[in-house]
């Protein structure tokens, strides 16, 4: 299985800087293609502007959030159909930076359902705070987040792929990723939550589990690979193709050229 590497540009790059990063990423990959699913998630405003530099490439476009209904009196929200209209294929849902602002498991569940209903591929973030880990609640919290999401949801339909990203909040943007064994224990916890709910072949077909939190080119192989996570969600190290491309390359056993 080829890894999925997601670039979360957050609110770090302006429109011109996003176009520049997308253009350079595309040029680098055109010169030396990589066998991985690469998803770039610029800010909403930058999305229409990176379409042109990414057009005709294999790089997928993602958004950083989505609202749970497609139309109506919802000031400031972004509709899943609008995202589809401009060519967005993936969407990050429930990032901890949004949960910190008040987004709940229920909100994340509604957004996930809407994304799936409107043909967007969800990348759902879960992960505990440092306090929750210190008090031994991490597995319980992650299980609650995963289960909360699927409580009212029908099983993923044929062809639907849902990415779950384990991002311990204390590892995001700190330069201190989770110890690989710690991350692996939660990967297995997420997998067990899925297996408790769905048949194994459905889980294998429809779910991918990613790691996120201070991933860089030197540590990505601790997390991504056979028997490990299926890919990574990358913030800081995704902003510059000079770092991001080596990161993607280093987690592949072989590269094509
Ligand atoms: P980071 O961010 O790679 O900068 O830690 C990851 C994320 O927040 O998705």
């Amino acid at each position: 299985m080829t890894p999925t590497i997601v670039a979360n540009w957050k609110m770090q790059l302006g429109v011109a800087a996003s176009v520049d990063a997308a253009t350079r990423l595309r040029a680098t990959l055109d010169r030396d293609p990589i066998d991985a699913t690469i998803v770039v998630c610029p800010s909403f405003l930058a999305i229409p502007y990176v379409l042109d530099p990414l057009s005709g490439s294999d790089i997928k476009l993602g958004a950083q959030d989505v609202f749970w209904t497609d139309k109506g009196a919802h000031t400031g929200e972004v509709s899943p159909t609008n995202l589809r209209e401009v060519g967005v294929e993936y969407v990050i849902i429930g990032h901890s930076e949004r949960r910190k602002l008040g987004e709940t498991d229920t909100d994340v569940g509604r957004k996930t359902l809407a994304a799936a209903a409107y043909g967007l591929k969800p990348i759902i973030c879960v992960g505990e705070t440092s306090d929750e880990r210190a008090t031994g609640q991490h597995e319980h919290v992650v299980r609650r987040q995963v289960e909360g999401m699927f409580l009212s949801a029908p099983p993923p339909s044929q062809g639907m792929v849902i990415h779950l990203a384990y991002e311990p909040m204390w590892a995001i943007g700190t330069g201190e990723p989770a110890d690989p064994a710690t991350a692996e224990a939660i990967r297995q916890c997420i997998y067990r939550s899925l297996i408790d709910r769905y048949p194994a072949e459905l889980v294998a077909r429809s779910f991918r589990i990613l790691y996120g939190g201070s991933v860089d080119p030197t540590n990505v192989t601790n997390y991504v690979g056979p028997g490990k996570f299926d890919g990574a969600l990358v913030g800081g190290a995704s902003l510059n193709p000079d770092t991001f491309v080596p990161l993607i390359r280093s987690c592949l056993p072989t590269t094509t050229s």
Side-chain angles (χ1 to χ4, degrees), residues 228-257:
K228 303 184 196 172
F229 288 86
D230 302 308
L233 177 50
V234 189
S238 74
L239 298 174
N240 186 340
D242 293 345
T243 318
F244 189 48
V245 172
L247 183 157
I248 306 166
R249 274 194 211 294
S250 62
C251 67
L252 296 176
T254 52
T255 56
T256 51
S257 57

Side-chain angles (χ1 to χ4, degrees), residues 8 10 95-97 167 171-175 212-215 233-237:
N8 178 9
K10 308 190 180 184
H95 191 281
S96 64
E97 287 153 10
E167 297 208 305
I172 294 177
T174 60
S214 297
V215 174
L233 177 50
V234 189

